[in-house]
Amino acid sequence: MHEYGLVQALLERVTHEVAAHDAAAVHRLTVRIGPLAGVDRELFAEAYRLCRPGTRCEHAELVLTTEETDWRCGACGAAIAEGAALVCPTCGWPARLAGGDAIVLERIELEVIPHV
């Protein structure tokens, strides 16, 4: 249920950006959620739908993208194949997570009216 807290933080961030750019409207948000981020994508989308009324994002579309999980050798940096043991097949070092656990606000599409 922490998805609601994440959405609240997202809306606060967007509100800050709207003010910083003196934007008239928010049209679309793009958020990347990795499969190991510990976020339920459907619950995140539902939380956004429930939390956005009355905010600057009330009419803004939410686009969720994903990234691949990326495990690498902690010593030589070699990629570890998905589903393989988390140990480097070449040098035997434990793998480290190099991607797939992030939640990133990638893009905010704003309508900015030029000042004359």
Side-chain angles (χ1 to χ4, degrees):
M1 295 301 281
H2 71 284
E3 285 79 358
Y4 286 87
L6 293 171
V7 167
Q8 288 294 333
L10 170 70
L11 295 173
E12 289 173 16
R13 177 63 187 191
V14 171
T15 298
H16 173 78
E17 293 300 325
V18 166
H21 296 283
D22 197 21
V26 180
H27 293 293
R28 181 177 296 134
L29 306 176
T30 303
V31 177
R32 176 169 34 100
I33 301 174
L36 299 180
V39 175
D40 182 314
R41 297 167 60 88
E42 290 182 25
L43 190 53
F44 188 89
E46 179 67 12
Y48 178 74
R49 188 184 68 76
L50 293 174
C51 293
R52 71 181 178 170
T55 71
R56 300 302 297 260
C57 295
E58 185 165 1
H59 302 291
E61 175 187 9
L62 175 66
V63 176
L64 298 178
T65 63
T66 190
E67 64 183 10
E68 297 294 320
T69 302
D70 184 17
W71 289 95
R72 301 255 166 202
C73 173
C76 69
I80 309 280
E82 185 174 336
L86 297 177
V87 175
C88 181
T90 304
C91 63
W93 275 73
R96 64 175 175 78
L97 185 61
D101 61 340
I103 305 169
V104 178
L105 173 58
E106 289 188 310
R107 183 179 182 125
I108 305 170
E109 294 182 27
L110 302 173
E111 180 178 332
V112 178
I113 299 172
H115 296 281
V116 179

